[in-house]
């Protein structure tokens, strides 16, 4: 059966999705142009037509994954409900115990970014935009009197640091901490940053 002819944008997205999957499976260092081409049944030349080097393909793949994560974050934080509900939904989704995919991908990305300036910019941009979005909702909730947080930017940074650290533990060291205990720590941290007791947080979410 002949392959469906895709537009340039559609083909590019198909290649990026395949690249993300291959990076998750093989790692940044081991993944090859040939792996992405083989996964889609296309030629190496086609991949190189859209991305002239492996480095450009990898950076574009991470940027693509970052935009998908940020789109989901915007969706969760943009719902018409309280700031507290939006924050808890976003934090629970992003947490390594939640439904967010790609922690193995991002751990690979952080490691590779130490040596690749273009990739470092992608991961830094994702981190910056995630923190800014969380801090903005914390400000909204504080202004509305839902909770009290004198340092929204600091709260966003501390929450992100906890979530990223737990992701490394759960992904890289299976058994180091249970998923239930990790979720408890995430909930406790969120309640602490918002000036709420853990029981108050639970009660307001029911």
């Amino acid at each position: 059966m002949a392959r469906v002819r895709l537009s340039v944008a559609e083909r590019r997205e198909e290649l990026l999705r395949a690249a993300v999957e291959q990076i998750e499976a093989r790692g940044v260092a081991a993944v090859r142009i040939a792996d992405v081409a083989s996964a889609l049944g296309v030629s190496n030349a086609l991949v190189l037509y859209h991305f002239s080097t492996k480095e450009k393909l990898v950076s574009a793949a991470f940027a693509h994954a970052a935009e998908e994560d940020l789109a989901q974050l915007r969706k969760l934080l943009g719902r018409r409900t309280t700031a507290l509900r939006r924050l808890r939904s976003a934090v629970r989704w992003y947490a390594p115990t939640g439904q967010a995919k790609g922690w193995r991908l991002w751990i690979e990305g952080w490691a590779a970014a130490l040596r690749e300036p273009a990739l470092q910019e992608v991961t830094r941009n994702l981190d910056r935009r995630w923190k800014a979005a969380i801090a903005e909702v914390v400000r909204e909730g504080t202004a509305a009197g839902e909770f009290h947080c004198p340092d929204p930017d600091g709260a966003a940074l501390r929450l992100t640091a906890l979530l990223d650290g737990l992701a490394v533990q759960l992904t890289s060291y299976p058994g180091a901490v249970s998923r239930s205990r990790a979720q408890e720590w995430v909930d406790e941290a969120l309640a602490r940053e918002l000036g709420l007791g853990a029981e108050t947080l639970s009660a307001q979410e029911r």
Side-chain angles (χ1 to χ4, degrees):
M1 180 182 293
R3 286 178 59 84
V4 176
R5 188 175 183 82
L6 302 178
S7 68
V8 172
E10 290 171 333
R11 177 67 74 191
R12 183 181 175 86
E13 181 167 351
E14 180 186 57
L15 291 169
L16 291 174
R17 288 186 181 280
V20 167
E21 292 175 359
Q22 291 300 310
I23 292 168
E24 283 187 295
R26 302 171 185 273
V28 172
V31 74
R32 304 171 303 162
I33 291 289
D35 297 321
V36 177
S38 178
L40 294 174
V42 300
S43 67
N44 291 3
L46 178 64
V47 181
L48 289 169
Y49 172 79
H50 290 273
F51 306 96
S52 57
T53 66
K54 171 189 165 178
E55 289 72 25
K56 289 182 179 180
L57 173 62
V58 168
S59 291
F62 275 101
H64 178 76
E67 289 303 325
E68 287 198 329
D69 281 359
L70 288 165
Q72 178 63 18
L73 178 63
R74 287 192 296 269
K75 180 179 178 180
L76 292 170
L77 294 181
R79 294 184 307 155
R80 296 196 172 200
T81 186
T82 65
L84 180 57
R85 286 183 182 276
R86 285 181 282 151
L87 279 172
R88 194 167 193 193
S89 293
V91 168
R92 286 203 162 208
W93 170 76
Y94 183 87
T97 55
Q99 296 178 341
K101 298 179 180 179
W103 275 115
R104 185 176 296 277
L105 175 77
W106 288 113
I107 291 171
E108 282 280 346
W110 295 335
L114 295 174
R115 298 174 296 278
E116 295 288 341
L119 188 51
Q120 184 178 91
E121 183 54 34
V122 170
T123 57
R124 179 181 294 166
N125 183 52
L126 172 62
D127 184 67
R128 182 171 54 241
R129 291 166 68 184
W130 159 262
K131 289 187 178 75
I134 292 296
E136 180 58 30
V137 179
V138 172
R139 290 190 184 90
E140 291 177 18
T142 298
E146 290 184 41
F147 42 74
H148 177 67
C149 180
D151 181 16
D153 291 322
L157 191 155
R158 288 186 291 271
L159 284 169
T160 300
L162 173 64
L163 295 171
D164 290 348
L166 286 173
V168 172
Q169 292 294 315
L170 287 166
T171 303
S172 302
Y173 312 116
V177 59
S178 69
R179 292 174 65 85
S180 60
R181 177 57 62 86
Q183 189 59 63
E184 287 176 11
W185 289 342
V186 170
D187 288 344
E188 288 170 2
L190 181 59
R192 185 167 55 250
E193 293 293 349
L194 301 182
L196 302 172
E199 67 285 351
T200 303
L201 180 66
S202 297
Q204 290 192 30
E205 285 300 293
R206 286 198 293 268

